[in-house]
Amino acid sequence: MRSAGREYELIAVLATTEAQAARRALGEALFVEEGALTAALASPAARRLWTTRKAVGRALVRRQADLEALHACAGVAPAAPGARFPDAESARRFLAANAAMLGAALSRFGGREQHQIVIDLPQEAALAAMKRRAEWPDLADALRAARAAAERRAAAARLAALAQAVREGLARSAEARLAAASLDRAQLPLAEETTALNIVALTDRGGAGALEAALEAIDAAWEGALRIKLIGPSPATSFGAILLDTPEPGAVAEAEALLKLEAAAGPEAVQAAYRAAMKRAHPDVAGEAATALSRRISAANRLMKRVSTARAALLDAGWAAPRGAGSPPLARLWREGDGVAAG
């Protein structure tokens, strides 16, 4: 199971019933199972291959191809790039510790897909739209009359602002149409000056048809002047990617001390300790001076809820549950589009 100088990377988390089809799709990847979950693991090249930009690009392209192959035959909740384990046993332990969260991620995102949509407004089309705006005649007069450098800069700034307003109007109207054809959307950076919209849209499987109809209506409203790209389908990585989150050394011990918890306390004990601590430290009881302490207690409770749940799941699965700095890696969801973490 081990390979010198290599680590295993979590490619995706799959329902066990679909693992056979996934194995056929992914080929030589290692598959590990724990309970109702199966993880596909790739053994990436030695670390030195990740030192060049070209090598990183190749690895990401290969990873995306693997994800799309898996997505075609199984429910996939991908791990964020860089989710690595030293061996297969560590991956099994991760699955066991985070079974509830990973199962929820599969249920929520495994049967869905995302599509990237890019809408460009060429300069000629933008200019034509600007000329239809009520403010155009006054701006055109200002552009013709500008003589001094300051006047030219002011007129150019007004022209740029009007062009931006046209692009933003296109983006708002386009997203309103796409909202009716998708479950959720996440913004991506605008790579070009002429780009009005760059988003990923979440749909159920087979949702491309509704998106295509919405894009045709958007293009028709602009008389075919837009440049539109629809890329996908692919797994819902912008909405349901799984992130490995290992607590900082000492963080668990500090949280246990703050909540006055015994070592390896279970979820119910954590909840009881949190309530007891907040009865003493809540600002409504202890005054405004206790605000900082109550925040620390709340943060400790959030951490220990996750750690204790993972420990309990390991025990249920027959694994020894380590304490303190040895706590199992925790899973959470990362919505890459707006940086909102959940789970």
Side-chain angles (χ1 to χ4, degrees):
M1 292 285 184
R2 295 176 183 271
S3 179
R6 302 186 180 206
E7 293 179 320
Y8 291 107
E9 182 171 12
L10 184 64
I11 293 286
V13 179
L14 311 167
T16 299
T17 54
E18 298 162 324
Q20 186 174 358
R23 282 186 173 90
R24 290 195 298 268
L26 202 54
E28 297 180 359
L30 173 69
F31 282 75
V32 299
E33 297 184 8
E34 181 60 39
L37 296 168
T38 298
L41 303 175
S43 182
R47 287 180 180 273
R48 61 184 176 80
L49 294 182
W50 290 80
T51 58
T52 68
R53 183 177 299 178
K54 184 180 292 186
V56 171
R58 285 197 301 267
L60 292 175
V61 169
R62 172 61 186 272
R63 177 189 171 87
Q64 184 63 27
D66 287 342
L67 283 176
E68 291 180 6
L70 286 167
H71 178 66
C73 66
V76 179
R84 295 193 177 98
F85 302 95
D87 50 49
E89 289 302 299
S90 298
R92 290 191 182 94
R93 188 162 154 263
F94 172 77
L95 293 183
N98 297 278
M101 183 271 169
L102 296 174
L106 273 170
S107 175
R108 185 176 175 189
F109 296 107
R112 291 176 173 168
E113 58 195 24
Q114 72 178 41
H115 312 257
Q116 184 180 358
I117 297 164
V118 182
I119 299 179
D120 280 329
L121 178 63
Q123 291 183 349
E124 318 84 72
L127 182 59
M130 290 161 61
K131 290 180 177 179
R132 293 192 291 269
R133 299 286 290 258
E135 55 266 57
W136 176 258
D138 181 56
L139 175 56
D141 289 342
L143 288 168
R144 284 192 293 268
R147 294 292 183 271
E151 292 175 334
R152 291 195 296 271
R153 286 195 298 270
R158 289 177 60 190
L159 183 66
L162 183 56
Q164 181 64 20
V166 167
R167 284 194 294 272
E168 289 176 353
L170 167 58
R172 285 193 299 272
S173 62
E175 189 161 7
R177 286 185 182 271
L178 293 168
S182 58
L183 302 170
D184 198 0
R185 289 150 311 287
Q187 297 287 341
L188 297 177
L190 302 179
E192 305 291 339
E193 185 178 347
T194 58
T195 302
L197 189 68
N198 185 14
I199 64 171
V200 283
L202 180 70
T203 71
D204 288 322
R205 280 184 183 266
L211 291 176
E212 289 170 356
L215 292 173
E216 287 174 1
I218 294 166
D219 195 38
W222 283 78
E223 299 179 345
L226 305 176
R227 291 197 297 264
I228 299 176
K229 288 191 291 187
L230 176 61
I231 305 167
S234 61
T237 52
S238 294
F239 302 90
I242 295 164
L243 186 69
L244 268 66
D245 181 21
T246 303
E248 290 291 327
V252 172
E254 182 179 338
E256 287 176 334
L258 185 60
L259 295 175
K260 302 186 186 306
L261 283 169
E262 294 183 2
E268 292 181 1
V270 170
Q271 184 65 12
Y274 170 67
R275 288 174 177 168
M278 288 303 286
K279 283 181 181 178
R280 299 188 301 269
H282 196 284
D284 290 347
V285 176
E288 290 300 317
T291 299
L293 177 59
S294 68
R295 288 175 179 165
R296 288 179 57 213
I297 291 173
S298 294
N301 176 58
R302 288 193 295 272
L303 173 61
M304 291 311 304
K305 280 173 64 177
R306 298 172 63 217
V307 170
S308 63
T309 299
R311 286 172 174 167
L314 280 177
L315 289 173
D316 288 343
W319 293 78
R323 300 201 308 254
S327 294
L330 304 175
R332 60 184 173 128
L333 292 182
W334 179 256
R335 177 167 173 170
E336 298 171 336
D338 55 15
V340 174

